[in-house]
Amino acid sequence: MRALRPLRRSTIGGRIAAVGRTDSDYGRALEAIGAGATVATHLFNGEERRRLQD
């Protein structure tokens, strides 16, 4: 997917890619892992939850 292109490009250069502060579902998280993300923090608690609190 287009949104994963920057992640793929950054890992090719040897950078570590992380996933965090996201309201993605499990499948989308797996796509990010497949694209090179190796670190994760605060999964599934992203912007949607913040919008609900406002």
Side-chain angles (χ1 to χ4, degrees), residues 3-18:
L4 297 174
R5 287 181 192 160
L7 192 150
R8 286 189 188 102
R9 279 195 298 261
S10 67
T11 58
I12 289 171
R15 294 181 185 96
I16 296 171

Side-chain angles (χ1 to χ4, degrees), residues 1 3 11 18 22 24 28-29 32-35 37 40-42 45 50 54:
M1 299 203 90
T11 58
T22 176
S24 70
R28 189 70 170 154
I33 293 166
T41 184
H42 304 285
N45 69 342
R50 287 185 199 163
D54 290 341

Side-chain angles (χ1 to χ4, degrees), residues 18-34:
V19 178
R21 298 285 183 199
T22 176
D23 58 358
S24 70
D25 61 18
Y26 181 72
R28 189 70 170 154
L30 287 179
E31 289 176 10
I33 293 166

